[in-house]
Amino acid sequence: WRFFRDISYLAAMGKAGGGRNEVNPRFLSLFCIFNMVFPEQQTLNHIYCTILMGHLQTFQKDIQDLAPKLTEITLQLYSRIVKELPPTPSKFHYIFNLRDLSRVYYGLSLTLPERYADVGSFVRVWRNECLRIFHDRLINADDKKLVQGHLTDLISSNFRQESEVVLRDPILFGDYRAALNPETEPRVYEDLQDFDASGALFTEILEEYNQTFNAMNIVLFEDALDHATRIHRILRMINGHALLVGVGGSGKQSLTRLAAFAAGCDIFEIQLCRGYNEDSFKEDLKILYNKLGIDNKPTVFLFTEVHVLKKDSWSLLTTC
């Protein structure tokens, strides 16, 4: 037997709604409850403007001056999205919070002054981060059109002279230009301009992948390049993780393997066999965690629907 004494419990919860149920009042009575309200607009503006101003200290003066305005329109966009796209039973993942705002600013912090020397290029990377964080989560054309419309309005009204450059499509940002030579050439988060440039880079990466691992016979059409660029961007982020939703055979695993290779990551995937059970899954997780913690190898854990042994398998990924 093991005896635990003098234990303090610290719990956190959100308000009921959006898939969250009411908590029994008798259970709540056992805690000292503190209600943390959402920060006021002025507080958020000060926090994120300070972060961006700190990053832009080495940039040109006209780009340094963008920090207050970009923060203001970022908060405007966030407020509109939260108000107009609330979570519903069919859109339960439409939960936007301060983590999303922080991810936008993390993307902006990847920029370098030598690659972003004018206002248009920096506002364009801001548009990319907003699209990746907010737009990519949406599940239908109407919701995506709504967010695109808000972005267009904010850019046109605040950056009229640069709007043509900022709103040009496609919008492809990544640092995989140096994916095959990471030791000799630094990775730079940059605007890849168009599908021709992105396609040439990913074609070279795919050829190298096929010489190293089992060959993948995939066609890098425009949508595939778009998705591969998005996956690669996520994998290059700190604690980057993605849920890829699509019909079977649409290339989710192939593009993930290609993007992981471009990001310099190993692929870890469990191998199902006869008698594979929960204990086997835990042993595989031990191997994965040893690779990450002891060997310190950047690794992508590729987990598909066929790997779900039972409903509570997901909990093992967050509790083990």
Side-chain angles (χ1 to χ4, degrees):
W1 294 90
R2 294 180 180 178
F3 296 93
F4 297 91
R5 296 179 179 177
D6 300 326
I7 297 175
S8 298
Y9 290 90
L10 181 65
M13 59 175 284
K15 295 193 301 182
R20 293 185 294 268
N21 298 322
E22 293 282 358
V23 178
N24 192 308
R26 295 181 63 184
F27 177 74
L28 292 179
S29 67
L30 302 175
F31 291 85
C32 294
I33 300 177
F34 298 90
N35 180 34
M36 301 181 66
V37 299
F38 193 80
E40 295 182 356
Q41 193 85 354
Q42 182 179 358
T43 303
L44 292 176
N45 188 81
H46 176 72
I47 292 172
Y48 288 106
C49 186
T50 302
I51 292 172
L52 189 55
M53 289 175 65
H55 172 68
L56 296 179
Q57 287 181 352
T58 57
F59 286 69
Q60 295 184 12
K61 183 66 168 59
D62 54 348
I63 297 183
Q64 293 181 27
D65 295 339
L66 288 175
K69 183 179 290 187
L70 280 182
T71 301
E72 179 184 350
I73 63 176
T74 302
L75 294 176
Q76 289 180 21
L77 176 66
Y78 172 79
S79 299
R80 294 179 188 181
I81 291 175
V82 170
K83 181 180 179 180
E84 299 176 19
L85 297 174
T88 64
S90 62
K91 303 173 183 177
F92 59 90
H93 61 293
Y94 280 25
I95 300 175
F96 303 97
N97 51 41
L98 292 184
R99 290 191 187 94
D100 301 302
L101 284 175
S102 298
R103 291 188 183 108
V104 171
Y105 279 76
Y106 176 72
L108 294 178
S109 69
L110 298 176
T111 56
L112 297 175
E114 52 268 22
R115 290 300 177 97
Y116 298 89
D118 58 84
V119 172
S121 62
F122 197 84
V123 178
R124 182 169 168 80
V125 72
W126 170 83
R127 176 186 172 229
N128 176 75
E129 299 311 305
C130 292
L131 287 172
R132 301 290 73 81
I133 299 302
F134 300 114
H135 178 273
D136 287 355
R137 191 181 304 183
L138 309 179
I139 63 174
N140 61 49
D142 291 338
D143 293 346
K144 292 182 178 182
K145 185 177 179 180
L146 178 69
V147 172
Q148 289 172 353
H150 286 322
L151 272 172
T152 301
D153 291 342
L154 290 170
I155 292 169
S156 300
S157 58
N158 290 277
F159 304 99
R160 187 179 302 275
Q161 294 182 352
E162 296 84 6
S163 60
E164 183 177 354
V165 173
V166 176
L167 295 173
R168 187 183 71 246
D169 288 323
I171 184 162
L172 303 166
F173 280 80
D175 63 358
Y176 51 84
R177 187 181 298 276
L180 300 181
N181 303 294
E183 296 86 6
T184 59
E185 191 175 349
R187 287 181 178 265
V188 178
Y189 191 60
E190 60 181 336
D191 185 358
L192 297 164
Q193 301 294 334
D194 53 41
F195 287 119
D196 289 339
S198 176
L201 293 172
F202 265 121
T203 298
E204 187 177 357
I205 294 170
L206 178 61
E207 291 175 354
E208 182 69 22
Y209 178 94
N210 289 340
Q211 293 177 7
T212 308
F213 304 101
N214 293 333
M216 293 191 300
N217 185 21
I218 59 176
V219 178
L220 296 173
F221 53 94
E222 291 185 356
D223 281 348
L225 293 171
D226 198 6
H227 291 313
T229 299
R230 297 179 188 185
I231 298 170
H232 175 270
R233 174 190 168 278
I234 293 171
L235 298 181
R236 290 288 297 165
M237 296 286 180
I238 296 176
N239 295 326
H241 53 274
L243 174 63
L244 308 184
V245 181
V247 298
S250 57
K252 299 186 295 298
Q253 292 190 51
S254 297
L255 291 180
T256 300
R257 295 178 188 279
L258 180 61
F261 181 72
C265 299
D266 293 342
I267 288 284
F268 182 85
E269 186 177 11
I270 62 177
Q271 301 296 326
L272 297 180
C273 59
R274 184 183 297 274
Y276 193 93
N277 54 26
E278 185 174 310
D279 291 334
S280 305
F281 184 48
K282 290 180 178 179
E283 290 300 319
D284 280 337
L285 288 180
K286 289 180 182 178
I287 297 173
L288 171 62
Y289 294 156
N290 282 331
K291 288 187 65 175
L292 296 172
I294 298 177
D295 299 335
N296 197 28
K297 291 183 178 179
T299 305
V300 173
F301 183 22
L302 186 57
F303 191 78
T304 69
E305 65 274 9
V306 300
H307 296 141
V308 181
L309 303 176
K310 51 185 180 180
K311 290 183 179 180
D312 59 353
S313 297
W314 298 103
S315 64
L316 294 174
L317 298 179
T318 56
T319 57
C320 285

